[in-house]
DNA sequence: TGCCCATCTGGCACCGAGTGCCAAGCAGGC
DNA sequence: GCCTGCTTGGCACTCGGTGCCAGATGGGCA
């Protein structure tokens, strides 16, 4: 059962890769919205119907990683001792997962596309919101709350803000044409948010 | 020109109100996604085509206010002296605009719908992101930056986090069935985000 | 009163995303 | 070689949204 499984699992993964590769190429060439699913399916030599058996939506081709990365973030976060404070723990989890890494090549173009295409941006936010549900329980514990205390806004606020900072960092990163350092931008974002309301910046 | 304008402007606004009223009723009865535009148009006694002349998308019926509220927030924020620190200024602008007000009746059901309907949630976030562009320039000034310094993440991060806090507050508010105080939830959210990483909570 | 113009409206055809259904193909197990 | 289960493709359909055109409406003006 396990050998055979890995057989068509492998072929399935090959199809995934093929679709993704083909689609990404088309997206970067003609833009996301200008590329139809029929076109992707035709180029990948599968039927339109089969495409939807691999990807639920067109956006999932670009944002597929985000869902799994959320799980990864949760697991990583849970591996960090509860004695570590929330912001620090999130920052460390991001570092370990590699959410602060960037390879200027293709990534910049993809990022630009994500920030400029409304439907894509919306979906990416949506996926990030799912991170919230995944990470909040652990942050509650770090705040000394019950893991399922759904009436205290503290943990949700911290996670949500952290994700907002990550998003902003990515945004600025694309604005600078990928020249800035993503991790640094994130740190500066968090710093700005959490700095006391005194003079200077 | 001005008197006549107000004439068909009034009738136009009447149609707006009619559509909104009819649609909202249908949404609350059968859910957002279960209500088709044909149904709304038929109930409002207009053609499907005309509907789209009043609302660009189905979501706009529910979220129409958010766009104009963004403008209002910007204007309000700009009326607050630059000597007021960012977070404080945003908080004050929210208070003045009434973004922290809640009327438990219909509002709770609408809010629940918004948080439970993916497409609606996505669009609402999208609209909130437009707030960011509107509010950031003013916040930059409060930080001593140029109003169009697009390379510093600080202002974007603060605005984005504030909106995240507002969103979280609304979320918890609906979770509590509208019993909690929205302004209080927002304040607690901000407090949690900005509290120093000391031991305990 | 009658004409002119601008605007709003409805209806039609069309597109693209996404779903349900069913029949054909292609495994592997017995 | 047959049965079984999963995958595939194709078809028809729904729904949101757009472009286009023809007709109604109504106000301004001679």
């Amino acid at each position: 059962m396990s050998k055979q499984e890995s057989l068509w699992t492998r072929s399935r993964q090959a199809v995934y890769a093929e679709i993704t590769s083909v689609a990404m190429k088309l997206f970067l060439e003609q833009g996301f919205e200008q590329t139809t699913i029929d076109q992707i399916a035709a180029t990948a030599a599968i039927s339109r119907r089969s495409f939807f058996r691999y990807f639920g939506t067109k956006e999932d081709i670009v944002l597929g990683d985000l869902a799994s990365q959320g799980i990864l973030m949760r697991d990583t976060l849970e591996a960090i001792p509860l004695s570590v404070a929330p912001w620090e723990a999130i920052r460390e989890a991001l570092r370990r997962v590699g959410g602060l890494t960037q390879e200027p090549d293709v990534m910049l173009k993809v990022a630009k596309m994500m920030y400029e295409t409304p439907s894509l941006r919306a979906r990416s936010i949506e996926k990030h919101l799912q991170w919230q549900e995944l990470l909040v329980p652990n942050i509650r514990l770090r705040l000394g709350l019950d893991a399922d205390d759904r009436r205290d806004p503290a943990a949700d606020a911290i996670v949500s803000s952290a994700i907002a900072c990550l998003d902003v960092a990515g945004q600025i990163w694309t604005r600078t044409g990928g020249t800035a350092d993503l991790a640094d931008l994130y740190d500066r974002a968090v710093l700005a948010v959490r700095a006391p309301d005194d003079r200077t910046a």
Side-chain angles (χ1 to χ4, degrees), chain A:
Chain A
M1 259 304 192
S2 56
K3 299 280 165 83
Q4 288 80 359
E5 209 171 357
S6 70
L7 253 177
W8 54 260
T9 284
R10 206 180 314 158
S11 87
R12 187 172 176 85
Q13 224 127 14
V15 179
Y16 262 109
E18 172 68 7
I19 296 178
T20 306
S21 152
V22 155
M24 280 302 187
K25 198 177 163 194
L26 288 172
F27 290 160
L28 294 179
E29 277 174 15
Q30 3 170 317
F32 182 80
E33 287 172 325
Q34 281 64 43
T35 306
T36 71
I37 290 183
D38 294 80
Q39 204 179 352
I40 299 171
T43 314
I46 56 169
S47 76
R48 167 192 171 69
R49 196 63 189 83
S50 281
F51 169 86
F52 282 110
R53 291 196 179 96
Y54 285 90
F55 295 93
T57 71
K58 198 165 76 163
E59 287 80 14
D60 281 352
I61 306 176
V62 183
L63 304 173
D65 302 338
L66 254 66
S68 51
Q69 264 190 296
I71 312 271
L72 192 55
M73 268 296 288
R74 183 198 56 194
D75 296 344
T76 309
L77 189 62
E78 283 172 358
I80 297 172
L82 284 183
S83 57
V84 179
W87 281 100
E88 208 176 318
I90 293 174
R91 160 76 230 232
E92 174 62 15
L94 276 173
R95 194 190 62 74
R96 290 192 196 170
V97 168
L100 296 174
T101 326
Q102 73 274 29
E103 332 89 40
D105 270 19
V106 190
M107 199 52 201
L108 181 61
K109 288 181 188 163
V110 175
K112 269 215 171 93
M113 188 173 75
M114 270 185 43
Y115 282 106
E116 284 164 9
T117 310
S119 75
L120 217 41
R121 184 131 172 73
R123 291 266 187 185
S124 104
I125 306 272
E126 220 179 330
K127 300 249 174 188
H128 271 155
L129 283 175
Q130 289 166 4
W131 287 27
Q132 197 176 327
E133 292 169 28
L134 291 169
L135 306 186
V136 157
N138 182 270
I139 298 300
R140 287 213 190 94
L141 295 178
R142 291 176 200 275
L143 290 171
L145 300 167
D146 276 356
D148 52 356
D149 177 354
R150 293 166 51 87
R151 309 179 89 85
D152 193 306
D156 286 87
I158 292 174
V159 172
S160 200
S161 286
I163 294 172
C165 285
L166 184 61
D167 189 62
V168 164
Q171 213 172 323
I172 307 279
W173 181 74
T174 65
R175 270 187 209 161
T176 64
T179 56
D181 179 52
L182 190 57
D184 179 53
L185 286 171
Y186 173 78
D187 288 336
R188 285 165 63 195
V190 173
L191 215 63
V193 167
R194 308 196 61 219
D197 265 351
D198 53 18
R199 298 297 95 232
T200 76

